[in-house]
Amino acid sequence: MNQRLRALISVSDKQGLAEFAKELAALDVEILSTGGTASTLREAGIKVIDVAEYTQSPEIMGGRVKTLHPRVHGGILLRDRASDRDELSSIGGKPIDIVVVNLYPFGATVARAAPHEEVIENIDIGGPSMLRSAAKNYGRVTVVVDPADYPALVFALKSEGGLSVMERERLAGKAFLHTARYDKAIAAYFADKATQESAGSRSPGLGDALQIHLKKAYDLRYGENPHQAAAFFVAPDAPAGSLARARSVGQGAKELSFNNLVDAEAALDAVREFDQPAAVVVKHTNPCGVAEADSLSSAYERARHADALSAFGGIVALNRTVDAETASLLVQTFLECVIAPAFSDEALPILRTKAQLRLLATDGWLTAQHRAMCAKQVGGGFVYQERDASAGGEVKGAKVVTERAPSSEELRALDFAWRVCKHVKSNAIVLAKATPGLRTVGVGAGQMSRVVSVQLAVEKAGREAQDSVLASDAFFPFPDGVLRAAEAGVSAIAQPGGSKKDNEVIKAADAAGMAMVMTGVRHFRH
């Protein structure tokens, strides 16, 4: 190198830091650093110059002010011109060629519900200023915010003396994205806090402004149709157990499509409803078979059997680690994707015999009650809402409105059907049984008329409709749906109630000897 390079390193994420800094030191790069980063580097045996020594200005206010200094920002913003060099030299500054910074862990501090004062102290000031300075001056300076970029920089320094302008420009864009996400998280925190402190909104997620920052995870095979390009973008703070954090553990013969991911999310969201081993088979975002059992293999077998025809080419979600017995059943049917918390070492070789089968492991797990915000794009904007996190306990706490109350077995089946119904597109009707094992026997989805959804569910169930129970995502506007269910042998119904004709609906149920409960809660899904 013609001139000794100088790097300023100040990071909260110390992944790969020592190894990276050792490589820089071996290339005779002078390293400036601060606080905990400097301590970590010295412990690793790396020579470091404190920023306070370089600026000849001590850190003040307990470290609140340390890099906000003309020698730091002048060294970073220096352009390749004599006048800039003379001015920098006149204040005792030197060129800074590499800036390696990632910011205080603001998001993680908020996520663990730290006190407000601690959250405020984790708003980084100097870090974003250095990143913006370095990114603005990418023509001369290399800025790095992601440890994943360390190896490429080291390789370029060894082979070419540094990165190309094009690569420095790419890293500059990455730095601006990093600070934008950081500012978004801070703005969201204050907006949520203000909302919680006022009566202006029912939800802390519904403030006056919405900023969404996502990172592309990978390109998809295509969108809803093969002629539509598509990609999967994820939130950097997506929680463990979410689809965004799922790992592919299959053969990887085919990339996921837009529809695969939408269906996988629908299946995963539905299977979270259940505490016992459970399986959900989804086709076109609707559950076509759901079951809960003492073992995962039994749950899947019953879920598949609930609608074997629709299960072909479906997406399966399971709420337990997939074992060999379950894997042997899964490979008997052509499936697009299986998603589960994990796959056992014995199960994977069995599942990998299906080269086209995608396997996704979530590792973590989210409960049915987990809080999240959901968005859908409409012309020129988004509609934004809280995730529908209720369902559990609503049937057991419901009001019995008929002369006959549900039996204990009917109540169990109604509770199960109600949890499933929440995940079926409206108008939604689910028929289920508790013996042998909780399982759906018929699903009617997405119809413009509720009685037609009842008819579809009954037709799917066939003879299994006899002595089944029914869950409806919204009220019956007329008695016709109840009458059709009674003709098929349905014995009990769970529905929200609230129709002008509730009394007529109840009379129809009583005349048929059916039990009916009203939950008072609607679960439309559009």
Side-chain angles (χ1 to χ4, degrees), residues 18-67:
E19 296 81 0
F20 172 58
K22 284 178 181 177
E23 294 277 14
L24 293 183
L27 291 166
D28 197 34
V29 176
E30 184 177 86
I31 297 175
L32 308 177
S33 192
T34 63
T37 303
S39 298
T40 298
L41 295 177
R42 288 193 176 100
E43 288 171 6
I46 299 164
K47 184 179 179 182
V48 177
I49 298 173
D50 283 314
V51 166
E53 180 183 342
Y54 165 70
T55 61
Q56 294 299 296
S57 179
E59 295 182 10
I60 61 173
M61 301 177 190
R64 269 193 160 197
V65 181
K66 47 183 177 261
T67 58

Short mmCIF file of all heavy atoms in Angstrom, two decimals, residues 18-67:
data_model
loop_
_atom_site.label_atom_id
_atom_site.label_comp_id
_atom_site.label_asym_id
_atom_site.label_seq_id
_atom_site.Cartn_x
_atom_site.Cartn_y
_atom_site.Cartn_z
N ALA A 18 -12.80 -9.72 16.37
CA ALA A 18 -11.38 -9.94 16.66
C ALA A 18 -10.65 -10.48 15.44
O ALA A 18 -9.55 -10.01 15.10
CB ALA A 18 -11.24 -10.89 17.85
N GLU A 19 -11.24 -11.45 14.76
CA GLU A 19 -10.60 -12.03 13.58
C GLU A 19 -10.41 -10.99 12.49
O GLU A 19 -9.36 -10.91 11.84
CB GLU A 19 -11.43 -13.20 13.05
CG GLU A 19 -11.56 -14.39 13.99
CD GLU A 19 -12.61 -14.19 15.07
OE1 GLU A 19 -13.25 -13.12 15.11
OE2 GLU A 19 -12.80 -15.12 15.89
N PHE A 20 -11.45 -10.17 12.29
CA PHE A 20 -11.39 -9.12 11.27
C PHE A 20 -10.30 -8.10 11.60
O PHE A 20 -9.48 -7.73 10.74
CB PHE A 20 -12.75 -8.44 11.21
CG PHE A 20 -12.81 -7.21 10.34
CD1 PHE A 20 -12.47 -7.27 8.99
CD2 PHE A 20 -13.22 -6.00 10.87
CE1 PHE A 20 -12.54 -6.13 8.19
CE2 PHE A 20 -13.30 -4.87 10.08
CZ PHE A 20 -12.96 -4.93 8.73
N ALA A 21 -10.27 -7.65 12.85
CA ALA A 21 -9.28 -6.65 13.25
C ALA A 21 -7.86 -7.19 13.16
O ALA A 21 -6.92 -6.45 12.82
CB ALA A 21 -9.59 -6.16 14.66
N LYS A 22 -7.68 -8.48 13.47
CA LYS A 22 -6.35 -9.08 13.33
C LYS A 22 -5.88 -9.05 11.89
O LYS A 22 -4.69 -8.80 11.59
CB LYS A 22 -6.37 -10.51 13.85
CG LYS A 22 -6.38 -10.62 15.37
CD LYS A 22 -6.45 -12.07 15.84
CE LYS A 22 -6.49 -12.15 17.36
NZ LYS A 22 -6.62 -13.55 17.84
N GLU A 23 -6.80 -9.30 10.97
CA GLU A 23 -6.46 -9.24 9.55
C GLU A 23 -6.05 -7.81 9.16
O GLU A 23 -5.09 -7.60 8.41
CB GLU A 23 -7.64 -9.70 8.70
CG GLU A 23 -8.00 -11.17 8.85
CD GLU A 23 -7.13 -12.07 7.98
OE1 GLU A 23 -6.10 -11.59 7.46
OE2 GLU A 23 -7.51 -13.24 7.81
N LEU A 24 -6.80 -6.82 9.66
CA LEU A 24 -6.46 -5.42 9.37
C LEU A 24 -5.09 -5.07 9.92
O LEU A 24 -4.27 -4.42 9.25
CB LEU A 24 -7.52 -4.49 9.95
CG LEU A 24 -8.94 -4.54 9.35
CD1 LEU A 24 -9.82 -3.48 10.01
CD2 LEU A 24 -8.91 -4.34 7.84
N ALA A 25 -4.85 -5.48 11.16
CA ALA A 25 -3.57 -5.18 11.79
C ALA A 25 -2.42 -5.82 11.02
O ALA A 25 -1.33 -5.22 10.86
CB ALA A 25 -3.57 -5.66 13.24
N ALA A 26 -2.64 -7.04 10.53
CA ALA A 26 -1.61 -7.73 9.76
C ALA A 26 -1.31 -7.01 8.45
O ALA A 26 -0.21 -7.15 7.89
CB ALA A 26 -2.04 -9.17 9.47
N LEU A 27 -2.29 -6.24 7.97
CA LEU A 27 -2.11 -5.44 6.75
C LEU A 27 -1.59 -4.04 7.06
O LEU A 27 -1.57 -3.17 6.18
CB LEU A 27 -3.43 -5.35 5.99
CG LEU A 27 -3.93 -6.66 5.36
CD1 LEU A 27 -5.40 -6.53 4.93
CD2 LEU A 27 -3.06 -7.03 4.16
N ASP A 28 -1.20 -3.83 8.30
CA ASP A 28 -0.65 -2.55 8.77
C ASP A 28 -1.67 -1.41 8.71
O ASP A 28 -1.33 -0.27 8.47
CB ASP A 28 0.60 -2.17 7.95
CG ASP A 28 1.43 -1.08 8.66
OD1 ASP A 28 1.46 -1.09 9.92
OD2 ASP A 28 2.02 -0.23 7.97
N VAL A 29 -2.95 -1.76 8.93
CA VAL A 29 -3.99 -0.74 9.03
C VAL A 29 -4.02 -0.23 10.47
O VAL A 29 -4.10 -1.02 11.41
CB VAL A 29 -5.36 -1.31 8.65
CG1 VAL A 29 -6.45 -0.26 8.86
CG2 VAL A 29 -5.36 -1.79 7.20
N GLU A 30 -3.93 1.08 10.64
CA GLU A 30 -4.00 1.67 11.98
C GLU A 30 -5.46 1.66 12.44
O GLU A 30 -6.35 2.03 11.67
CB GLU A 30 -3.47 3.11 11.93
CG GLU A 30 -3.42 3.77 13.30
CD GLU A 30 -2.81 5.17 13.22
OE1 GLU A 30 -3.57 6.12 12.95
OE2 GLU A 30 -1.59 5.28 13.39
N ILE A 31 -5.69 1.24 13.68
CA ILE A 31 -7.05 1.08 14.17
C ILE A 31 -7.34 2.08 15.29
O ILE A 31 -6.64 2.11 16.31
CB ILE A 31 -7.29 -0.36 14.68
CG1 ILE A 31 -7.13 -1.36 13.53
CG2 ILE A 31 -8.67 -0.49 15.30
CD1 ILE A 31 -7.21 -2.81 13.95
N LEU A 32 -8.40 2.88 15.06
CA LEU A 32 -8.93 3.76 16.09
C LEU A 32 -10.19 3.11 16.64
O LEU A 32 -10.97 2.50 15.90
CB LEU A 32 -9.30 5.13 15.51
CG LEU A 32 -8.25 5.88 14.67
CD1 LEU A 32 -8.87 7.18 14.14
CD2 LEU A 32 -7.04 6.19 15.53
N SER A 33 -10.41 3.26 17.95
CA SER A 33 -11.60 2.64 18.51
C SER A 33 -12.01 3.34 19.79
O SER A 33 -11.31 4.21 20.30
CB SER A 33 -11.36 1.15 18.75
OG SER A 33 -12.58 0.50 19.04
N THR A 34 -13.17 2.91 20.31
CA THR A 34 -13.73 3.52 21.51
C THR A 34 -14.28 2.46 22.46
O THR A 34 -14.61 1.35 22.05
CB THR A 34 -14.91 4.46 21.17
OG1 THR A 34 -15.95 3.68 20.59
CG2 THR A 34 -14.50 5.55 20.21
N GLY A 35 -14.38 2.82 23.72
CA GLY A 35 -15.11 2.06 24.73
C GLY A 35 -14.93 0.56 24.71
O GLY A 35 -13.82 0.02 24.71
N GLY A 36 -16.07 -0.14 24.70
CA GLY A 36 -16.07 -1.60 24.77
C GLY A 36 -15.41 -2.26 23.59
O GLY A 36 -14.80 -3.33 23.72
N THR A 37 -15.51 -1.64 22.42
CA THR A 37 -14.86 -2.21 21.23
C THR A 37 -13.35 -2.20 21.41
O THR A 37 -12.67 -3.19 21.12
CB THR A 37 -15.25 -1.41 19.97
OG1 THR A 37 -16.67 -1.41 19.83
CG2 THR A 37 -14.62 -2.02 18.73
N ALA A 38 -12.82 -1.08 21.89
CA ALA A 38 -11.37 -0.99 22.11
C ALA A 38 -10.91 -2.02 23.13
O ALA A 38 -9.88 -2.68 22.96
CB ALA A 38 -11.00 0.42 22.58
N SER A 39 -11.70 -2.22 24.20
CA SER A 39 -11.35 -3.21 25.22
C SER A 39 -11.32 -4.62 24.63
O SER A 39 -10.42 -5.41 24.91
CB SER A 39 -12.35 -3.15 26.38
OG SER A 39 -12.31 -1.89 27.01
N THR A 40 -12.32 -4.94 23.81
CA THR A 40 -12.39 -6.26 23.19
C THR A 40 -11.18 -6.50 22.29
O THR A 40 -10.59 -7.59 22.30
CB THR A 40 -13.69 -6.38 22.35
OG1 THR A 40 -14.81 -6.27 23.23
CG2 THR A 40 -13.75 -7.72 21.64
N LEU A 41 -10.80 -5.49 21.53
CA LEU A 41 -9.66 -5.64 20.63
C LEU A 41 -8.35 -5.80 21.41
O LEU A 41 -7.51 -6.62 21.05
CB LEU A 41 -9.59 -4.43 19.69
CG LEU A 41 -10.76 -4.30 18.71
CD1 LEU A 41 -10.61 -3.04 17.87
CD2 LEU A 41 -10.86 -5.52 17.81
N ARG A 42 -8.20 -5.04 22.48
CA ARG A 42 -6.97 -5.15 23.28
C ARG A 42 -6.89 -6.53 23.93
O ARG A 42 -5.80 -7.12 24.01
CB ARG A 42 -6.92 -4.05 24.33
CG ARG A 42 -6.63 -2.67 23.75
CD ARG A 42 -6.25 -1.66 24.84
NE ARG A 42 -5.90 -0.38 24.24
CZ ARG A 42 -6.72 0.67 24.17
NH1 ARG A 42 -7.93 0.58 24.69
NH2 ARG A 42 -6.33 1.79 23.60
N GLU A 43 -8.02 -7.04 24.39
CA GLU A 43 -8.03 -8.39 24.98
C GLU A 43 -7.62 -9.44 23.96
O GLU A 43 -7.10 -10.49 24.32
CB GLU A 43 -9.43 -8.70 25.52
CG GLU A 43 -9.79 -7.92 26.79
CD GLU A 43 -11.25 -8.09 27.18
OE1 GLU A 43 -11.94 -8.91 26.52
OE2 GLU A 43 -11.70 -7.41 28.12
N ALA A 44 -7.87 -9.16 22.69
CA ALA A 44 -7.48 -10.08 21.62
C ALA A 44 -6.05 -9.85 21.16
O ALA A 44 -5.57 -10.48 20.20
CB ALA A 44 -8.43 -9.94 20.44
N GLY A 45 -5.33 -8.93 21.84
CA GLY A 45 -3.93 -8.68 21.52
C GLY A 45 -3.72 -7.77 20.33
O GLY A 45 -2.65 -7.78 19.70
N ILE A 46 -4.70 -6.94 20.01
CA ILE A 46 -4.62 -6.06 18.84
C ILE A 46 -4.32 -4.63 19.31
O ILE A 46 -4.96 -4.12 20.23
CB ILE A 46 -5.95 -6.10 18.05
CG1 ILE A 46 -6.22 -7.52 17.56
CG2 ILE A 46 -5.91 -5.13 16.87
CD1 ILE A 46 -7.63 -7.76 17.12
N LYS A 47 -3.35 -4.00 18.66
CA LYS A 47 -2.99 -2.63 19.02
C LYS A 47 -4.08 -1.67 18.57
O LYS A 47 -4.51 -1.69 17.42
CB LYS A 47 -1.66 -2.25 18.37
CG LYS A 47 -1.18 -0.86 18.78
CD LYS A 47 0.15 -0.52 18.14
CE LYS A 47 0.60 0.89 18.53
NZ LYS A 47 1.89 1.25 17.88
N VAL A 48 -4.53 -0.82 19.50
CA VAL A 48 -5.63 0.10 19.24
C VAL A 48 -5.25 1.49 19.74
O VAL A 48 -4.65 1.63 20.81
CB VAL A 48 -6.92 -0.37 19.94
CG1 VAL A 48 -8.04 0.63 19.74
CG2 VAL A 48 -7.34 -1.73 19.45
N ILE A 49 -5.62 2.51 18.98
CA ILE A 49 -5.48 3.90 19.43
C ILE A 49 -6.86 4.39 19.84
O ILE A 49 -7.82 4.32 19.05
CB ILE A 49 -4.92 4.79 18.31
CG1 ILE A 49 -3.52 4.32 17.91
CG2 ILE A 49 -4.90 6.26 18.73
CD1 ILE A 49 -2.96 5.03 16.70
N ASP A 50 -7.00 4.84 21.07
CA ASP A 50 -8.29 5.38 21.52
C ASP A 50 -8.64 6.63 20.73
O ASP A 50 -7.77 7.46 20.45
CB ASP A 50 -8.24 5.73 23.00
CG ASP A 50 -8.32 4.49 23.89
OD1 ASP A 50 -9.19 3.63 23.61
OD2 ASP A 50 -7.54 4.39 24.84
N VAL A 51 -9.90 6.77 20.39
CA VAL A 51 -10.35 7.96 19.69
C VAL A 51 -10.04 9.21 20.50
O VAL A 51 -9.68 10.26 19.95
CB VAL A 51 -11.88 7.86 19.38
CG1 VAL A 51 -12.44 9.22 18.97
CG2 VAL A 51 -12.13 6.85 18.27
N ALA A 52 -10.14 9.10 21.83
CA ALA A 52 -9.83 10.25 22.69
C ALA A 52 -8.38 10.68 22.53
O ALA A 52 -8.07 11.88 22.58
CB ALA A 52 -10.12 9.90 24.15
N GLU A 53 -7.50 9.69 22.33
CA GLU A 53 -6.08 10.03 22.11
C GLU A 53 -5.90 10.70 20.76
O GLU A 53 -5.15 11.67 20.61
CB GLU A 53 -5.24 8.75 22.17
CG GLU A 53 -3.75 8.98 21.95
CD GLU A 53 -2.96 7.68 21.95
OE1 GLU A 53 -3.47 6.66 22.44
OE2 GLU A 53 -1.81 7.70 21.43
N TYR A 54 -6.62 10.20 19.75
CA TYR A 54 -6.52 10.77 18.40
C TYR A 54 -7.07 12.20 18.36
O TYR A 54 -6.49 13.09 17.75
CB TYR A 54 -7.29 9.88 17.42
CG TYR A 54 -7.57 10.51 16.08
CD1 TYR A 54 -6.55 10.76 15.17
CD2 TYR A 54 -8.88 10.88 15.73
CE1 TYR A 54 -6.82 11.35 13.94
CE2 TYR A 54 -9.16 11.47 14.51
CZ TYR A 54 -8.13 11.70 13.62
OH TYR A 54 -8.39 12.29 12.40
N THR A 55 -8.20 12.43 19.05
CA THR A 55 -8.81 13.76 19.01
C THR A 55 -8.18 14.72 20.02
O THR A 55 -8.40 15.93 19.94
CB THR A 55 -10.31 13.67 19.32
OG1 THR A 55 -10.50 13.13 20.63
CG2 THR A 55 -11.02 12.81 18.28
N GLN A 56 -7.42 14.14 20.99
CA GLN A 56 -6.88 14.95 22.10
C GLN A 56 -8.01 15.62 22.87
O GLN A 56 -7.88 16.72 23.41
CB GLN A 56 -5.89 16.00 21.58
CG GLN A 56 -4.62 15.42 20.98
CD GLN A 56 -3.83 14.61 22.01
OE1 GLN A 56 -3.35 15.17 23.01
NE2 GLN A 56 -3.68 13.32 21.77
N SER A 57 -9.16 14.90 22.90
CA SER A 57 -10.33 15.40 23.62
C SER A 57 -10.96 14.23 24.35
O SER A 57 -11.38 13.26 23.71
CB SER A 57 -11.34 16.00 22.64
OG SER A 57 -12.48 16.47 23.32
N PRO A 58 -11.01 14.25 25.67
CA PRO A 58 -11.52 13.10 26.42
C PRO A 58 -13.01 12.87 26.20
O PRO A 58 -13.75 13.80 25.87
CB PRO A 58 -11.24 13.48 27.88
CG PRO A 58 -11.26 14.98 27.88
CD PRO A 58 -10.67 15.38 26.56
N GLU A 59 -13.42 11.61 26.37
CA GLU A 59 -14.85 11.32 26.38
C GLU A 59 -15.48 12.06 27.55
O GLU A 59 -14.89 12.14 28.63
CB GLU A 59 -15.10 9.81 26.53
CG GLU A 59 -14.61 8.98 25.37
CD GLU A 59 -14.92 7.50 25.56
OE1 GLU A 59 -15.70 7.17 26.49
OE2 GLU A 59 -14.41 6.67 24.78
N ILE A 60 -16.67 12.61 27.35
CA ILE A 60 -17.33 13.34 28.43
C ILE A 60 -18.77 12.83 28.61
O ILE A 60 -19.30 12.11 27.77
CB ILE A 60 -17.34 14.86 28.16
CG1 ILE A 60 -18.10 15.19 26.87
CG2 ILE A 60 -15.92 15.40 28.10
CD1 ILE A 60 -18.31 16.69 26.64
N MET A 61 -19.34 13.20 29.72
CA MET A 61 -20.72 12.85 30.06
C MET A 61 -20.94 11.34 30.05
O MET A 61 -21.94 10.83 29.54
CB MET A 61 -21.71 13.54 29.10
CG MET A 61 -21.62 15.05 29.12
SD MET A 61 -22.74 15.82 27.93
CE MET A 61 -22.16 17.52 28.02
N GLY A 62 -19.99 10.64 30.65
CA GLY A 62 -20.12 9.19 30.75
C GLY A 62 -20.09 8.48 29.42
O GLY A 62 -20.69 7.43 29.25
N GLY A 63 -19.38 9.05 28.43
CA GLY A 63 -19.27 8.42 27.12
C GLY A 63 -20.32 8.89 26.13
O GLY A 63 -20.32 8.46 24.98
N ARG A 64 -21.21 9.79 26.56
CA ARG A 64 -22.23 10.29 25.64
C ARG A 64 -21.60 11.03 24.47
O ARG A 64 -22.13 11.02 23.36
CB ARG A 64 -23.19 11.24 26.35
CG ARG A 64 -24.41 10.55 26.94
CD ARG A 64 -25.46 11.56 27.34
NE ARG A 64 -26.78 10.93 27.45
CZ ARG A 64 -27.92 11.60 27.46
NH1 ARG A 64 -27.91 12.90 27.35
NH2 ARG A 64 -29.07 10.97 27.55
N VAL A 65 -20.48 11.71 24.71
CA VAL A 65 -19.80 12.45 23.65
C VAL A 65 -18.38 11.93 23.54
O VAL A 65 -17.59 12.07 24.48
CB VAL A 65 -19.78 13.97 23.94
CG1 VAL A 65 -19.08 14.71 22.80
CG2 VAL A 65 -21.19 14.49 24.13
N LYS A 66 -18.06 11.30 22.40
CA LYS A 66 -16.70 10.80 22.20
C LYS A 66 -16.25 10.91 20.74
O LYS A 66 -15.10 11.23 20.47
CB LYS A 66 -16.54 9.38 22.70
CG LYS A 66 -17.63 8.39 22.30
CD LYS A 66 -17.38 7.02 22.91
CE LYS A 66 -18.49 6.04 22.58
NZ LYS A 66 -19.46 5.92 23.66
N THR A 67 -17.13 10.66 19.78
CA THR A 67 -16.71 10.71 18.37
C THR A 67 -17.20 11.96 17.66
O THR A 67 -16.87 12.17 16.49
CB THR A 67 -17.23 9.47 17.61
OG1 THR A 67 -18.66 9.43 17.71
CG2 THR A 67 -16.64 8.21 18.19
#
